[in-house]
Amino acid sequence: MNNPLEKFCLKNVVSAFSGRGDGNMSLSFGDTAGALENRAKFLSSLGVNYRDLVCAKQVHGRDVLLAGEADRGKGALDYASSVESRDGFITAEKGLPLAVLTADCLPVFICDPLRGAVGILHAGWRSTEQNICARGIELMQESFGSKAGDIVAGFGPCIRACCFEVEKGFKSNFSFGLSARGGKVFMDIALVNRRQLMECGVREENIFDSSVCTYSDEGYFSFRKEAQDAGRFISVVMLK
């Protein structure tokens, strides 16, 4: 169990991501047979009821939902009931756990400790290209009056620049975060999202990165490595 926001001592926030050892958490990818049991076991250790989870049918976009009580349990027990076509959530509801499921994409935790609001974003390269972090911060500002300078962010495991080879054409998509090695182009998706958060006004010292690479670290699922056999680990955030 890991807590990407632990450094900031946010005692009223649950924030954690699972690993391969906790089992597949997806109800639609990989071997899903034990996914509900895996969720129940992992989340109970955090004081979270797995039946309350809010999950989405992630589409690699930038749409973020302001989640409320009516969304409790959507996607918790079956994929069909997941929130349609979203890649992130924010909320100020206590006891409402928000989740994204990933296997190389970057989970981004966001928290406004002054106004009691949290969020979770699914930042694959497509969502990063569309600047989902900016959308998450904007929605926090619109919904709760958040100030970017007060927001704390945490990055969970993702595929890193050491392993994330991309097409050379990516240079037209991203003006930074790309590097060349051996005639190949690699993307630092965490760096890009860090820069995007900072451009919104989030302070660099308030961004914490787990620095885990899902491709090189056997402790996590990796779609790049395992393709359709890849399970998903869960990243969850909740106000106590």
Side-chain angles (χ1 to χ4, degrees):
M1 186 191 309
N2 299 274
N3 184 351
L5 299 182
E6 185 174 17
K7 180 178 179 181
F8 299 94
C9 301
L10 302 177
K11 296 180 180 179
N12 65 328
V13 176
V14 173
S15 57
F17 49 83
S18 65
R20 185 185 296 273
D22 299 302
N24 182 23
M25 300 290 171
S26 174
L27 302 178
S28 56
F29 294 101
D31 181 0
T32 61
L36 285 179
E37 291 81 1
N38 296 336
R39 288 183 176 189
K41 182 178 180 180
F42 175 71
L43 294 170
S44 66
S45 69
L46 302 171
V48 175
N49 187 336
Y50 78 104
R51 295 177 177 273
D52 291 339
L53 274 181
V54 184
C55 303
K57 294 179 180 177
Q58 298 167 186
V59 293
H60 299 279
R62 79 185 304 264
D63 287 341
V64 180
L65 176 70
L66 170 58
E69 188 59 35
D71 301 300
R72 186 180 298 275
K74 291 185 177 180
L77 303 179
D78 61 89
Y79 180 72
S81 67
S82 302
V83 176
E84 292 284 347
S85 303
R86 301 282 179 159
D87 284 277
F89 303 104
I90 65 167
T91 194
E93 293 280 346
K94 292 183 178 180
L96 185 66
L98 313 176
V100 295
L101 295 129
T102 57
D104 282 339
C105 295
L106 175 67
V108 180
F109 299 76
I110 52 178
C111 175
D112 181 346
L114 297 186
R115 292 157 190 84
V118 294
I120 189 83
L121 308 173
H122 165 239
W125 74 261
R126 292 180 180 86
S127 295
T128 298
E129 183 181 27
Q130 298 171 64
N131 204 340
I132 191 172
C133 278
R135 180 57 192 143
I137 299 301
E138 289 167 3
L139 193 57
M140 293 275 275
Q141 293 170 328
E142 294 167 5
S143 303
F144 312 123
S146 295
K147 296 181 180 178
D150 298 329
I151 289 176
V152 176
F155 293 166
C158 71
I159 190 169
R160 301 284 166 162
C162 54
C163 303
F164 190 13
E165 182 183 352
V166 297
E167 300 292 333
K168 293 182 179 180
F170 266 57
K171 291 181 179 180
S172 63
N173 300 60
F174 297 95
S175 59
F176 58 91
L178 302 179
S179 59
R181 296 196 310 271
K184 300 177 181 180
V185 177
F186 295 83
M187 180 178 181
D188 190 335
I189 196 168
L191 175 63
V192 176
N193 279 274
R194 177 184 291 270
R195 183 82 63 84
Q196 290 173 340
L197 284 168
M198 291 170 62
E199 288 174 351
C200 291
V202 178
R203 293 182 292 173
E204 186 170 18
E205 62 267 28
N206 282 354
I207 304 172
F208 175 68
D209 190 349
S210 68
S211 301
V212 175
C213 177
T214 49
Y215 190 94
S216 60
D217 190 326
E218 293 294 333
Y220 297 89
F221 297 106
S222 171
F223 180 78
R224 277 276 177 129
K225 186 186 294 184
E226 303 165 72
Q228 298 303 323
D229 292 331
R232 300 293 189 271
F233 65 89
I234 195 168
S235 296
V236 62
V237 67
M238 184 185 77
L239 284 170
K240 295 181 182 179

